[in-house]
């Protein structure tokens, strides 16, 4: 009732401290930017949307995500197979072997980077959103309910004082 009356402008609302309001605004801003950064980093690390969905499902089911061959490693594999077809002794075959080995190393470095970024960068962001932010939201709801209770009590007290004053004025 208090919430509805406040929204309709029929009841007074106790304002929170300006510093606290600023903290709440900063917390909201932090949450929004953290979500955006998390999503965009996931897109950067795994551009394939279906692979991201698959990884998300494995994560939610608490299963280990199967290891995926990176594009660099796949290209290295193709180059090695092509080098074997052309013959490792031919100039083209030798070149394919050398470039394929470089691509394999790049692919392995990419895999390590993705794994490292996931652990050291994405995990803390997720921990904030799934842990700290949920706590902030819960405490914010409790504070809102306490404020509504306080305002309702103030309104009842005001009505009681008005009724008492009216009773003493009217003999």
């Amino acid at each position: 009732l208090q919430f509805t009356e406040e929204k309709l402008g029929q009841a007074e609302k106790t304002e929170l401290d300006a510093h606290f309001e600023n903290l709440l605004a900063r917390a909201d801003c932090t949450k929004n930017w953290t979500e955006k950064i998390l999503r965009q980093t996931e897109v950067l690390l795994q551009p394939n949307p279906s692979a991201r969905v698959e990884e998300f499902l494995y994560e939610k089911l608490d299963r280990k995500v199967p290891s995926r061959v990176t594009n660099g490693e796949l290209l290295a594999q193709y180059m090695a197979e092509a080098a074997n077809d052309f013959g490792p002794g031919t100039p083209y075959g030798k070149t394919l072997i050398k470039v394929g080995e470089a691509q394999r190393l790049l692919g392995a470095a990419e895999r390590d980077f993705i794994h490292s970024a996931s652990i050291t960068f994405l995990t803390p962001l997720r921990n904030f959103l799934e842990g700290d932010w949920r706590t902030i939201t819960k405490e914010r709801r409790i504070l809102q309910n306490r404020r509504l209770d306080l305002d309702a009590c103030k309104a009842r007290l005001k009505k009681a004082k008005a009724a008492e004053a009216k009773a003493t004025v009217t003999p």
Side-chain angles (χ1 to χ4, degrees), residues 56-93:
F56 175 76
L57 289 174
Y58 275 109
E59 184 181 306
K60 288 300 173 190
L61 295 173
D62 289 331
R63 292 219 167 134
K64 188 177 183 289
V65 179
S67 182
R68 227 182 230 98
V69 177
T70 64
N71 290 330
E73 292 171 321
L74 189 59
L75 179 60
Q77 183 182 348
Y78 290 160
M79 287 181 169
E81 290 173 9
N84 287 335
D85 277 355
F86 287 112
T90 65
Y92 189 45

Side-chain angles (χ1 to χ4, degrees), residues 70-158:
T70 64
N71 290 330
E73 292 171 321
L74 189 59
L75 179 60
Q77 183 182 348
Y78 290 160
M79 287 181 169
E81 290 173 9
N84 287 335
D85 277 355
F86 287 112
T90 65
Y92 189 45
K94 285 180 189 177
T95 304
L96 285 173
I97 288 173
K98 285 182 185 178
V99 174
E101 181 59 24
Q103 282 298 325
R104 187 188 65 73
L105 293 173
L106 284 171
E110 180 184 7
R111 179 197 312 273
D112 291 344
F113 170 72
I114 290 170
H115 180 70
S116 172
S118 178
I119 290 173
T120 60
F121 186 71
L122 294 179
T123 300
L125 295 179
R126 283 190 190 106
N127 289 344
F128 167 73
L129 291 172
E130 294 171 3
D132 297 341
W133 183 252
R134 284 190 181 161
T135 303
I136 290 169
T137 304
K138 181 178 138 197
E139 295 298 328
R140 194 183 238 176
R141 235 180 326 210
I142 290 170
L143 177 64
Q144 176 75 354
N145 288 336
R146 296 290 193 272
R147 187 196 58 76
L148 287 170
D149 290 345
L150 173 67
D151 289 349
C153 289
K154 282 181 179 179
R156 271 189 260 130
L157 179 63
K158 195 175 188 180

Side-chain angles (χ1 to χ4, degrees), residues 35-53 55 110 113-114 121-122 126:
E35 285 177 334
K36 288 177 183 178
I37 290 169
L38 177 72
R39 280 193 306 267
Q40 194 56 42
T41 304
E42 288 174 338
V43 167
L44 175 75
L45 295 176
Q46 179 51 269
N48 184 346
S50 62
R52 280 197 311 273
V53 169
E55 289 172 3
E110 180 184 7
F113 170 72
I114 290 170
F121 186 71
L122 294 179
R126 283 190 190 106

Side-chain angles (χ1 to χ4, degrees), residues 12-23:
E12 290 182 36
K13 177 180 177 181
T14 302
E15 295 299 323
L16 299 173
D17 180 44
H19 177 66
F20 186 73
E21 288 286 350
N22 184 28
L23 287 175

